[in-house]
Amino acid sequence: MLLKIFGAEFVRSHYLMLVSVIILDMISFILIFYVLILTKISYLKTSLIVLMYSFYQIPIEFWKLGTHYDSFNLFFNTLFISLVILFLKRPKIKIGILMSNSGSLLILYGSAFIIVVPITIAFVIFLLSVSNYNINKILKLSLVCLFLPIMTGMGICSKNYITRDVFAP
């Protein structure tokens, strides 16, 4: 019946969207589990939290067939938050680059994140600088972690300035 009403291409594309959103949701649940384990919460509590959250999230995706504008929100936010926590635990350049890339994806996902992502990264770097890191390492981490999100935000604002004469997200 759906094929007669909407056409085969429409139905296939929506199921493809649903499958991709469910896969990203599963990755998000794994990341949530990993972050909760990193923060020293017991396996039982962590498993219960992730299980209850998955019981909440998955039916919503089936209800909208993965086409709701907010379907990717869980994945992008979970990816960024997990990398921020991992970077706080182990401040390495490689993790900083991954955090910067995930922050840029989050900025591309929603314009409000143009402010949230750089402030979060700057706050994380400030927390690391308080705990006795040398200034050269802090400057290097700042440059690596903040460059891509700031350039992504600048690119979006520049595009809006060129197309609409407004330098805003």
Side-chain angles (χ1 to χ4, degrees):
M1 180 168 166
L2 287 175
L3 289 174
K4 290 181 183 177
I5 296 172
F6 297 109
E9 193 64 35
F10 182 82
V11 173
R12 273 192 226 119
S13 67
H14 280 75
Y15 285 127
L16 179 64
M17 187 76 157
L18 177 65
V19 169
S20 65
V21 166
I22 288 175
I23 289 170
L24 291 177
D25 282 348
M26 295 299 176
I27 293 170
S28 298
F29 299 143
I30 292 168
L31 286 173
I32 291 170
F33 186 83
Y34 179 69
V35 165
L36 291 175
I37 293 299
L38 271 179
T39 56
K40 308 269 192 248
I41 296 177
S42 72
Y43 284 106
L44 181 63
K45 289 179 185 174
T46 300
S47 300
L48 186 64
I49 290 169
V50 172
L51 186 67
M52 295 305 278
Y53 192 66
S54 67
F55 283 152
Y56 160 76
Q57 185 67 26
I58 296 297
I60 292 173
E61 303 302 349
F62 278 104
W63 173 52
K64 290 288 190 174
L65 292 176
T67 59
H68 192 265
Y69 71 93
D70 214 18
S71 290
F72 295 104
N73 195 13
L74 173 67
F75 174 73
F76 288 129
N77 281 300
T78 304
L79 180 65
F80 182 68
I81 291 168
S82 63
L83 286 169
V84 164
I85 291 173
L86 187 63
F87 187 72
L88 276 171
K89 294 276 188 185
R90 291 177 266 178
K92 296 181 182 176
I93 296 290
K94 182 179 177 183
I95 299 170
I97 291 170
L98 290 173
M99 181 178 64
S100 177
N101 286 329
S102 69
S104 294
L105 286 173
L106 202 54
I107 288 171
L108 290 172
Y109 180 71
S111 61
F113 294 111
I114 286 177
I115 296 171
V116 172
V117 168
I119 288 175
T120 303
I121 292 174
F123 183 69
V124 165
I125 292 172
F126 171 74
L127 288 177
L128 291 174
S129 68
V130 170
S131 61
N132 299 328
Y133 279 89
N134 63 17
I135 192 70
N136 290 332
K137 186 170 184 176
I138 293 301
L139 290 176
K140 193 185 303 184
L141 285 175
S142 299
L143 181 66
V144 166
C145 295
L146 287 171
F147 180 74
L148 193 57
I150 289 174
M151 296 317 293
T152 302
M154 291 294 289
I156 291 171
C157 292
S158 299
K159 185 254 328 165
N160 289 340
Y161 181 73
I162 291 168
T163 59
R164 305 224 191 281
D165 289 330
V166 176
F167 192 74

